[in-house]
Amino acid sequence: MKALVFNTFGGPEVLEYLEIADPVIEPDEILVRMKAIGLNFADVYRRKGNYHLAGKSPFILGYEGAGVVEKTGANVQGISVGDPVAFADVPYANAELVAVPMEKAIPLPETITFEEAASVLLQGLTAHYLTKDSYAVKENDIILVHAAAGGVGQLLVQIAKLLGGRVIGLTSSMEKASAAKKAGVNQVFLYSDDWKRKVLEETNGKGVDVVYDSVGSTLEDSFAATRIGGTVVFFGMAGGDPTPVDPRMLMDTSKTLTGGDLWNVLTSREERAARSAELFRWIEEGKVTVSEPTVFALRDGRKAHRFLESRKSTGKILLRP
C-alpha cells in the first residue's frame, strides 16, 4: 500500500509518500480501505517530535478517518466486509489501508458521508466532551472560544450555542472572523485587537464564564478575560506552550484551570458509540453543520501540512488516498 511516512522529526519536508507493507490485522481488528483522512494540529506536533507518537520509524501520522471494511478478523462481530466505518483514535491513518480495532470502529449512518465523518469525528467529539465534560455549558453562559474559525472552534461555537450559551469568538483575520460569524458567534474579536479589554467591555467588566483555549501561549490572557469563579479549559498548544499558572492566582480569584484530552474520554466502544451518535444526530437535524473541507491528495501531504501551519485554513483539511 501507499502511505505518507517520515523517518526524522522536522518540517513538512520530512514527509514522504512511499510504498510500504500492508497492515496485518489481529483477530479483533478490521482492515479499512480509507476514503477520507482527517488532518489535525496534533499531526504537526507529532511530526515535530513533541507529542505522543505510536510505532517505530518509518512513522505514519493520522488518527482519524473513514472508509470501507475490506477484511475482518476472526473474532470480529457486528461488522461486515463492505460496511462504511469511521474512527477518531486509531494510529497510522495516513495510508491506503488501516488496521482498526473492532472497539474503535464507529458505524456510519447512511446520511453521513466519508468526508463528513473524517471532517467531524475527532474535532466534533473534542467539542462534545469540552462542552459536556470539561465544562458543562449551561443556558445563558458566556463563552470565549479561541481560534473560533478553526475546525474545533467552529464546532465548539455551534455546540455551545446549541446548549444555550452566548459565544464570543477570537480569530486572527477578517476572513476568519467571517467564518466564525457563519458558525454562529454572537461577537468576534481579532487577536490584533485589544481583545482582553473588548471581552471585558462586552461582559460589563465581569469576564466570561468559561474560556476554551487551544492556543496555549494565550493562557494567561484567557484568565484575565475570565470572571471571578470562572473556568479556563486548556486543550491545545497551536501557538506554543503556555507560561506556568500561579496556583495562588487560582486561589485568590476562585478560578479553575482544567485540561482536556480526547484520549481520556474515548475509553470504551460504548463511549464512542454514544457520543458519535449524538454528534451525527445533531448533523442530521441540521443543528450542527460541517463546513466544506479543503482536500489534498495523500501524496501531497507536505502541501497539506504547510497549508495547515500557514494559519490560512478555515475549517477542516482532509487527505484523500
Side-chain angles (χ1 to χ4, degrees):
M1 70 172 182
K2 286 286 179 42
L4 192 66
V5 305
F6 67 104
N7 288 286
T8 57
F9 300 119
E13 68 279 357
V14 303
L15 297 170
E16 298 179 277
Y17 186 62
L18 300 176
E19 186 81 34
I20 64 170
D22 291 359
V24 177
I25 60 171
E26 299 291 333
D28 294 322
E29 292 181 331
I30 58 174
L31 188 66
V32 176
R33 182 162 293 278
M34 301 302 291
K35 298 295 184 182
I37 302 159
L39 177 61
N40 299 285
F41 247 102
D43 297 314
V44 172
Y45 304 153
R46 292 184 183 101
R47 192 200 70 223
K48 290 179 176 179
N50 55 14
Y51 201 55
H52 57 78
L53 178 64
K56 300 175 184 176
S57 177
F59 299 108
I60 303 176
L61 297 172
Y63 272 77
E64 170 189 44
V68 176
V69 178
E70 189 153 294
K71 188 178 179 182
T72 61
N75 298 340
V76 172
Q77 297 179 340
I79 302 174
S80 304
V81 171
D83 284 354
V85 296
F87 56 83
D89 57 344
V90 178
Y92 320 127
N94 283 193
E96 292 179 319
L97 295 167
V98 179
V100 178
M102 178 179 66
E103 69 163 23
K104 295 188 176 183
I106 297 167
L108 281 189
E110 289 181 6
T111 51
I112 305 294
T113 67
F114 295 121
E115 288 76 16
E116 283 176 323
S119 294
V120 79
L121 262 183
L122 196 147
Q123 294 176 331
L125 291 174
T126 295
H128 186 277
Y129 88 77
L130 288 172
T131 52
K132 292 283 193 113
D133 302 71
S134 299
Y135 176 92
V137 173
K138 304 177 294 299
E139 194 77 31
N140 299 320
D141 275 343
I142 303 176
I143 296 140
L144 181 63
V145 175
H146 282 273
V152 174
Q154 290 188 36
L155 292 163
L156 252 178
V157 169
Q158 293 181 70
I159 295 173
K161 295 271 292 187
L162 180 60
L163 297 173
R166 178 168 163 257
V167 182
I168 302 169
L170 296 173
T171 68
S172 58
S173 69
M174 291 305 296
E175 181 190 3
K176 290 190 174 185
S178 296
K181 286 177 182 174
K182 192 175 176 184
V185 293
N186 298 88
Q187 181 59 275
V188 62
F189 300 123
L190 301 183
Y191 284 110
S192 55
D193 295 338
D194 185 358
W195 62 266
K196 285 182 293 181
R197 179 179 60 80
K198 293 195 171 188
V199 168
L200 289 172
E201 286 175 356
E202 188 72 16
T203 56
N204 298 317
K206 283 181 59 181
V208 299
D209 294 293
V210 60
V211 181
Y212 290 107
D213 192 326
S214 57
V215 178
S217 57
T218 52
L219 198 62
E220 196 172 325
D221 291 334
S222 292
F223 273 109
T226 308
R227 68 167 173 81
I228 297 294
T231 298
V232 174
V233 183
F234 166 55
F235 70 101
M237 301 168 291
D241 283 319
T243 54
V245 174
D246 179 6
R248 175 66 187 267
M249 178 275 291
L250 296 177
M251 182 181 76
D252 291 346
T253 60
S254 297
K255 294 179 183 179
T256 298
L257 170 63
T258 185
D261 194 309
L262 184 61
W263 313 130
N264 299 324
V265 176
L266 299 183
T267 53
S268 68
R269 192 177 187 186
E270 291 72 28
E271 279 287 338
R272 290 179 190 86
R275 290 174 186 269
S276 300
E278 185 162 40
L279 194 58
F280 291 153
R281 190 177 74 251
W282 286 338
I283 294 170
E284 289 166 350
E285 293 172 352
K287 293 175 179 175
V288 170
T289 58
V290 184
S291 61
E292 194 70 27
T294 303
V295 182
F296 290 85
L298 183 59
R299 73 174 79 86
D300 295 327
R302 290 182 184 181
K303 291 181 183 176
H305 275 243
R306 288 192 185 102
F307 185 59
L308 179 60
E309 290 185 273
S310 74
R311 298 282 195 269
K312 292 175 183 173
S313 63
T314 57
K316 190 70 175 188
I317 299 172
L318 297 182
L319 301 171
R320 185 177 287 148

